[in-house]
Amino acid sequence: MTTVLKVNNLSKSYGSLWAVNKLSFEVKKGSVYGILGPNGSGKTTTLGMLVSAINPSHGSFEWFGKQASANTRKGIGIFLEKPNFYDYLSAENNLKIVADIRELDYSLVESALKTVSLWERRDSKFKTFSLGMKQRLAIASAIMGDPEMLVLDEPTNGLDPEGIAEVRDLILRLADEGKTIILASHLLDEVQKVCTNLLVLKSGVKIYDGSIDDISQTNDQIEISAEDNQALLDALQSYPDIVDCKLEGNIIIGKLHNNSKSSTLNTFLHQKGIALKHLQVRKASLEAQVLNLLKN
Amino acid sequence: MKRLFKIELRKIIHNRIFWITLSGYILTLLMILLGMQRQLSKINKGLSEGSNNFIPLLPTEIYSFPHVWHNLAYIASFLMIFLAVVMVILVTNEFTYNTMRQNLINGMSRFELVLSKFVDAIMLASIATIFIFIFGLIAGFTTSTNLEFADIFSKLPYIGAYFIMILGFLTFAMMLAFLIKKPALVLGALLLYNYIIEPLSAWKFNESIGSYLPLKSLNMLVEVPDIALFSFFGAGPVYNGIQFTYVALGIFYTAAFFGISYYIINRKDL
């Protein structure tokens, strides 16, 4: 797979505070790359640097194997933080300015506005829009011209539940079309539903970077019990893929890792002469996983 | 460049504050220019009534060719500050709406961000110059008795000098706006520098660099016209022409203001 974005030791300091600290990661073509982290963890600063709005203190990054320039930005649909448009201009005129900047044809303005259901309001001034409409206009501006690459920072901020669902569907649709998407959010649910890869930041430092399936599986919780729980516990000590076993009531709870299958465990125990009366694997929620990561 | 013109034009055409301020400038200038002629005749009349022999002490024909170009440029230069206000609004708007950042993100380079605002300065300076050119033509043809071609346009270079002066002043305002960002503070700084800091420094260093300071040397492009009216009001030394030194300095300062603006924007996180 081609690397679309390569980030190398990217850092940004404000005085003595490191908002982003030696961050390195790669985004492959076609992936939906989620950036997760609590408020103030450096998500927006990172994206700000990647779109050249913020000058990095150290480090570098490459888009499509080249150093970033105004021209690379023209080919990326970017929505950062909040919708920024000229208050006194209509939706259509605002998007025409974007089209001029990105050197796109004006005919694309219509389809972009229709995608976010703002075509009927094209002549209304931006300042008359509700927060949700402003947000949708910003998304229209990002997807105009059908860019192969999208960078979205909190795209569902300020939207009502229906709007959130619409934006999520839109992202899924774009992902299905094979677009590469970087999505920053503090809403775990949102990330889990659409992302293939995950980067977790805490105080500007990377604490997890990998596929979203990996993070959900590393720490699957397993519940297990037999007639003789003590014997079971002893047997489990010699099983390599299970850790942190402890007896809670009549059930032993442990953590299964490395994509280990529960059936393998069952066979193993059967050979040891232990018959199980209960075996259940619980996919831990992403939320619990991430909270756990952030705690450590 | 054409792309930037197109973008700026779209922003300006629909900007009501821009048109209000610009019409304010044009109307004020028009009132001053039209009122001046009448006022001068009145003063002359009063003076000649006081004495037995009629000698017009002040020239009433300030709008005759070829002096009209110089006189108009000089009078209009006092209202440059209006245009600077428009300029400041156009730049600080981009910070208020956060569109400076957005336009960068969408694919403008930092150099283009500055260049697009310089395009605004060029447009404003052109409007101001075209206005006094048209006014000069009309006023000249209605008041001149001598309509030899050479006479009509012999002082036309003052219109060019006026353009450089305005463009330089607007670029200065642009630089302050990039630096300070908040419209009220930018205007405060502009007024402070234009009316207090520089005149004081120019006076203090009168012997040495006084007349080469940025705004002073821009003003020297269109010096006090060599006619009785302005020397009557105690104006200083008079040269009859545009000095090349100040044309060069004007262009140099404009380039410097542009360069500093770019330097500021290039270092800034947007």
Side-chain angles (χ1 to χ4, degrees), chain B residues 53-109:
Chain B
N53 39 350
F54 176 77
I55 313 160
L57 290 178
L58 301 169
T60 46
E61 299 309 324
I62 54 169
Y63 297 143
S64 299
F65 291 127
H67 303 286
V68 60
W69 304 121
H70 189 179
N71 295 341
L72 277 182
Y74 183 73
I75 298 165
S77 70
F78 285 94
L79 292 181
M80 264 194 319
I81 196 77
F82 265 89
L83 295 168
V85 171
V86 180
M87 188 67 213
V88 168
I89 292 170
L90 292 179
V91 179
T92 53
N93 259 355
E94 305 280 353
F95 289 109
T96 318
Y97 300 139
N98 230 335
T99 39
M100 191 73 79
R101 173 192 174 104
Q102 194 61 44
N103 294 344
L104 173 88
I105 287 172
N106 287 343
M108 270 166 90
S109 66

Side-chain angles (χ1 to χ4, degrees), chain A residues 183-203:
Chain A
L183 172 72
S185 176
H186 62 269
L187 300 174
L188 293 144
D189 183 47
E190 185 171 294
V191 169
Q192 190 169 24
K193 285 196 174 115
V194 296
C195 291
T196 56
N197 291 74
L198 186 66
L199 172 76
V200 183
L201 292 179
K202 185 189 179 187
S203 316

Side-chain angles (χ1 to χ4, degrees), chain A residues 107-133:
Chain A
S107 62
L108 296 166
V109 170
E110 181 177 343
S111 54
L113 283 172
K114 280 181 175 161
T115 309
V116 297
S117 328
L118 282 176
W119 179 241
E120 274 66 44
R121 294 292 305 269
R122 63 187 176 277
D123 291 328
S124 306
K125 286 179 179 165
F126 178 69
K127 65 175 164 213
T128 65
F129 279 10
S130 71
L131 184 56
M133 292 163 79

Side-chain angles (χ1 to χ4, degrees), chain A:
Chain A
M1 271 202 287
T2 346
T3 301
V4 178
L5 170 68
K6 192 175 158 77
V7 180
N8 228 325
N9 270 322
L10 200 62
S11 305
K12 177 69 183 180
S13 67
Y14 293 107
S16 62
L17 175 88
W18 288 91
V20 174
N21 203 345
K22 291 186 183 147
L23 184 62
S24 300
F25 63 92
E26 279 184 22
V27 177
K28 303 282 184 200
K29 192 169 164 45
S31 60
V32 182
Y33 200 91
I35 300 183
L36 206 63
N39 293 330
S41 58
K43 298 187 299 281
T44 299
T45 309
T46 303
L47 295 183
M49 287 191 277
L50 295 180
V51 300
S52 304
I54 299 174
N55 296 316
S57 307
H58 296 289
S60 62
F61 58 90
E62 279 182 353
W63 281 107
F64 315 109
K66 286 177 293 192
Q67 217 180 347
S69 71
N71 277 330
T72 49
R73 289 197 297 279
K74 282 175 197 164
I76 307 175
I78 302 168
F79 170 73
L80 221 58
E81 258 184 317
K82 66 183 187 61
N84 298 317
F85 291 99
Y86 297 94
D87 246 11
Y88 58 90
L89 290 183
S90 68
E92 189 175 11
N93 272 323
N94 267 305
L95 285 199
K96 279 184 174 168
I97 286 180
V98 177
D100 276 333
I101 292 176
R102 290 174 59 186
E103 300 185 75
L104 299 172
D105 200 271
Y106 285 161
S107 62
L108 296 166
V109 170
E110 181 177 343
S111 54
L113 283 172
K114 280 181 175 161
T115 309
V116 297
S117 328
L118 282 176
W119 179 241
E120 274 66 44
R121 294 292 305 269
R122 63 187 176 277
D123 291 328
S124 306
K125 286 179 179 165
F126 178 69
K127 65 175 164 213
T128 65
F129 279 10
S130 71
L131 184 56
M133 292 163 79
K134 288 178 175 178
Q135 196 86 353
R136 268 151 50 203
L137 185 64
I139 288 166
S141 155
I143 62 171
M144 187 163 56
D146 210 15
E148 280 306 300
M149 172 82 217
L150 286 154
V151 176
L152 307 170
D153 183 17
E154 308 281 3
T156 57
N157 243 2
L159 294 179
D160 52 20
E162 195 186 350
I164 292 176
E166 271 172 28
V167 169
R168 191 186 292 138
D169 289 346
L170 181 68
I171 294 173
L172 283 171
R173 205 170 74 221
L174 293 167
D176 276 347
E177 289 169 15
K179 308 241 184 294
T180 314
I181 302 172
I182 297 180
L183 172 72
S185 176
H186 62 269
L187 300 174
L188 293 144
D189 183 47
E190 185 171 294
V191 169
Q192 190 169 24
K193 285 196 174 115
V194 296
C195 291
T196 56
N197 291 74
L198 186 66
L199 172 76
V200 183
L201 292 179
K202 185 189 179 187
S203 316
V205 181
K206 174 170 90 176
I207 53 174
Y208 179 82
D209 182 12
S211 109
I212 204 148
D213 295 330
D214 285 349
I215 195 175
S216 313
Q217 280 174 17
T218 13
N219 292 318
D220 279 348
Q221 207 177 55
I222 189 162
E223 289 179 1
I224 186 169
S225 73
E227 289 301 332
D228 183 356
N229 273 338
Q230 199 50 50
L232 176 60
L233 203 55
D234 289 341
L236 287 174
Q237 302 298 344
S238 59
Y239 190 72
D241 284 347
I242 198 159
V243 289
D244 291 345
C245 291
K246 51 182 184 284
L247 189 62
E248 286 183 7
N250 329 332
I251 288 180
I252 293 169
I253 291 172
K255 279 175 185 164
L256 198 59
H257 60 64
N258 289 345
N259 299 336
S260 181
K261 289 200 173 70
S262 50
S263 52
T264 327
L265 173 66
N266 200 0
T267 320
F268 170 81
L269 291 171
H270 195 72
Q271 280 159 3
K272 291 251 172 188
I274 300 171
L276 294 178
K277 68 176 192 195
H278 176 83
L279 172 66
Q280 188 174 23
V281 178
R282 279 210 180 149
K283 293 262 178 205
S285 72
L286 183 64
E287 188 168 346
Q289 303 296 337
V290 171
L291 285 177
N292 199 28
L293 276 173
L294 290 173
K295 220 184 308 166
N296 301 331

